Amino acid sequence: AQSVTQPDIHITVSEGASLELRCNYSYGATPYLFWYVQSPGQGLQLLLKYFSGDTLVQGIKGFEAEFKRSQSSFNLRKPSVHWSDAAEYFCAVAPQAGTALIFGKGTTLSVSS
Amino acid sequence: GAVVSQHPSRVICKSGTSVKIECRSLDFQATTMFWYRQFPKQSLMLMATSNEGSKATYEQGVEKDKFLINHASLTLSTLTVTSAHPEDSSFYICSARLGGQDTQYFGPGTRLTVL
């Protein structure tokens, strides 16, 4: 069965510092990969997605993610974090386009000043 | 971008009553809608998949008679929690997908509290 692992439950980063959130998936083939952000009381907002092609994907709000097949990973990065980036981040996979998503447990990002 | 709304955003009900949650795609026609449940500090778990005009497909362990899903039109799906109990208290989130596309758009969620 497919699964998604986000090893870090909570990360604190200083404002202006770089960020990397880890995501590993378990699936036989290359799944469709997503990163979502959820702010308190808000719905999920899509940051970026990877289906095929260039393994470095650019998203909104200055985020990017790199797909590494050999490591079954899809880590999210941002070169300089802003206080407004504090939120819950979810990595998700779908075995096929348009199918339901399987989510990781999420990583809570706190930003210190 | 595509917008999905949910109503109500927050509801409190007494144990034993039923609650209906609406999920609407505001600017596109959603052939498929998904319902997820999120417990505090937990991930989202898929409850069911609904396709317009057909019966919903429920995930293992989700009681279809308790969580009634109707997807009567291309812009509206409803989730009715019947005979609600305190353990049904949770955050319910829907998502919608336009046929032929690969991206789901999520609603803002509904916080259900059963007293």
Side-chain angles (χ1 to χ4, degrees), chain A residues 13-37:
Chain A
V13 177
S14 298
E15 190 169 15
S18 63
L19 168 71
E20 182 170 32
L21 301 181
R22 296 182 291 166
C23 173
N24 294 95
Y25 66 90
S26 172
Y27 185 62
T30 300
Y32 294 80
L33 298 159
F34 305 81
W35 273 100
Y36 285 88
V37 61

Side-chain angles (χ1 to χ4, degrees), chain A residues 4-91:
Chain A
V4 180
T5 301
Q6 292 181 248
D8 304 305
I9 297 173
H10 192 176
I11 284 182
T12 299
V13 177
S14 298
E15 190 169 15
S18 63
L19 168 71
E20 182 170 32
L21 301 181
R22 296 182 291 166
C23 173
N24 294 95
Y25 66 90
S26 172
Y27 185 62
T30 300
Y32 294 80
L33 298 159
F34 305 81
W35 273 100
Y36 285 88
V37 61
Q38 185 182 37
S39 298
Q42 303 290 316
L44 292 164
Q45 182 180 22
L46 179 66
L47 289 174
L48 45 78
K49 59 186 178 183
Y50 173 78
F51 295 158
S52 64
D54 192 346
T55 57
L56 185 62
V57 181
Q58 300 299 319
I60 63 171
K61 303 185 178 185
F63 286 93
E64 66 177 26
E66 185 172 14
F67 168 62
K68 292 185 177 180
R69 184 191 305 275
S70 61
Q71 299 177 19
S72 296
S73 69
F74 188 56
N75 294 347
L76 182 71
R77 301 194 293 249
K78 186 170 184 177
S80 178
V81 169
H82 188 262
W83 65 266
S84 60
D85 293 324
E88 188 82 14
Y89 290 80
F90 290 97
C91 180

Side-chain angles (χ1 to χ4, degrees), chain B residues 30-77:
Chain B
T31 52
T32 304
M33 287 185 171
F34 302 93
W35 286 94
Y36 296 84
R37 183 174 179 176
Q38 185 181 27
F39 290 101
K41 303 297 184 183
Q42 297 282 326
S43 185
L44 285 79
M45 300 298 294
L46 178 68
M47 298 176 66
T49 301
S50 76
N51 292 296
E52 185 266 338
S54 61
K55 290 184 178 180
T57 301
Y58 290 81
E59 294 299 297
Q60 192 172 12
V62 177
E63 299 176 58
K64 62 180 181 180
D65 294 330
K66 180 169 185 61
F67 299 99
L68 301 178
I69 292 172
N70 183 281
H71 192 166
S73 78
L74 287 171
T75 60
L76 173 66
S77 177

